[in-house]
Amino acid sequence: MTGTVAVVVAAGQGRRMQDRWQGSATMGFVSMPVAKQFLPVQGKPLVWWALDVMERADVIDSVVLVVPEGNVEWVRGEIVERLHLTKVHSVVAGGVTRQESVFRALQHLQASSASCDYVVVHDGVRPLVSEAEVASVLDEARRYGAATLGVPARETIKVVDPKGLVVLTPQRDRLWSIQTPQAFRFRLLVEAHAMARARGYAGSDDCSLVEALGEPVRVVAGSQANIKVTCPEDLVMVEALLARRRELEEPGGGGAMATGDTGGPLAPVAGAVRVGLGFDVHPLVPGRPLRLGGVEIPFPLGLAGHSDGDALLHAVIDGLLGAANAGDIGSLFPDTDMSIAGIDSREMLREAGRLVAERGWTVSFVDAVVVAAQPRLAPYREAMAAAIRESLGMPHLEVSVKGKSGQGLEPLEGGKAIACLATVTLVRQRPS
């Protein structure tokens, strides 16, 4: 192993996800483990999607995969060899904590005879990272010594004490949600882990160990799509985005997705396509009308919220804004603005559509899922689709609205809340 090595960490137990396991028969794998990183996603284990990105990334020379003890041989045979992952040179048993798992991978690299200059650490349950993001974070690590992907915080963050009382509300404009991959000079990360072990320090990620050394860490803008699969609804998002990606890659499917913002080789060009992801969930409460997808539905409970609580339109709005890199619904319509209290979410959708158009994008498809135990949504699906078309001023826009039950997820199955997921496809407007 030489040059740049990716350490893909997939050693967790994922107990919150075990009810999703469909058994080995669904994929034909032998004695498939239950941990979430091995759950089937479009016919392959979840961890394979992250490994495949590293396999295709030109900047990665080899991969060390860290898995739970007891699964090493299964992973080596059923994933690495069976699925022809040629860059995975080693499968290492992880530890009790993520930090211990990364440390074991570093020990393995130190013990190998080949040199390693840079190491890229990535969560095995982040399947939607792009090759371009891997390259960009590594490029910054070469300049600064350490770098990580991240995205600006989209919602207000509060520090809360053990009694549930707010202690502090930091300014959101300086807060980032940190992702992986994180890239480092190999010797720097080895030193950081050695220091942490000597002091008994447990960091929240590998960058925090480098920070504890007093070394700088560069944050590189990532993507909202680079989600970490933690709970079952995350898999719904992943599967929806992967399905849409496959459609776009098929002949006649709309072309390749642009991943950059402005300028440089990843800048959006005429005809380029982006897919945005939006998610919202609101509790059901008495005393409010139920508005969903721009349609008022007869029901004894309504959705709580600063606006009319329309979670479906809010998910569509966030999908629009995310795909256009135009912020999020919280920045466009803050819940501290009392002048918009109770606002009709169709007005919010119109404004989001206007901003997207100003940035040179055209909406080409909206695909939405409503997760609710009740009421029955089938009679209102077409009206919801029509309301979305009308709000965006696009009478011929393709809109798909689907309903799902809670599928065992409280409070959704218990009828206490409604959750909505939307993917929005934008096409770059061509110059006239």
Side-chain angles (χ1 to χ4, degrees), residues 123-160:
D123 296 326
V125 290
R126 288 187 187 269
L128 298 176
V129 68
S130 69
E131 296 166 65
E133 287 168 333
V134 175
S136 65
V137 77
L138 179 60
D139 185 57
E140 292 302 298
R142 294 184 191 280
R143 295 177 59 198
Y144 291 90
T148 180
L149 282 185
V151 292
R154 302 176 69 179
E155 303 191 25
T156 298
I157 306 296
K158 293 185 182 291
V159 179
V160 181

Side-chain angles (χ1 to χ4, degrees), residues 47 93 107 113 128 143 157 161 200 228 357 403 421 430:
V47 69
Q107 281 187 311
S113 57
L128 298 176
R143 295 177 59 198
I157 306 296
D161 70 13
K228 182 178 181 181
L421 168 72
R430 298 182 182 275

Side-chain angles (χ1 to χ4, degrees), residues 5-53:
V5 179
V7 173
V8 177
V9 188
Q13 297 301 315
R15 292 182 176 86
R16 283 175 288 182
M17 292 288 291
Q18 291 183 8
D19 59 348
R20 171 63 192 267
W21 184 48
Q22 299 176 10
S24 59
T26 60
M27 291 166 44
F29 290 97
V30 178
S31 302
M32 182 178 171
V34 182
K36 66 181 176 182
Q37 58 269 38
F38 305 125
L39 291 172
V41 175
Q42 295 194 1
K44 293 183 174 68
L46 175 61
V47 69
W48 176 87
W49 296 91
L51 292 169
D52 182 59
V53 173

Side-chain angles (χ1 to χ4, degrees), residues 1 12 43 73 82 100 103 105 109 118 132 251 267 301-302 319 336-337 343 349 362 401 410 416-417 425 429:
M1 291 173 286
E73 293 305 317
R82 181 176 176 177
E100 176 68 21
F103 177 74
L109 288 170
Y118 288 87
L301 303 175
T336 55
D337 185 353
I343 187 175
L349 181 55
T362 297
V401 178
E410 284 286 350
K416 300 174 184 176
T425 305
Q429 296 172 5

Side-chain angles (χ1 to χ4, degrees), residues 156-171:
T156 298
I157 306 296
K158 293 185 182 291
V159 179
V160 181
D161 70 13
K163 297 180 180 179
L165 299 176
V166 174
V167 176
L168 177 66
T169 303
Q171 287 295 108

Side-chain angles (χ1 to χ4, degrees), residues 292 312 368-372 377 384 401-405 418-421:
L292 204 58
L312 176 52
V369 178
V370 179
V371 185
L377 299 177
M384 293 175 181
V401 178
K402 303 176 292 295
K404 299 287 185 181
S405 67
I418 292 178
C420 299
L421 168 72

Side-chain angles (χ1 to χ4, degrees), residues 4 10 27 30 36 63 74 76 96 105 279 288 293 298 360:
T4 300
M27 291 166 44
V30 178
K36 66 181 176 182
V63 177
W74 181 88
R76 186 177 287 121
V96 176
F279 177 78
R288 285 177 65 99

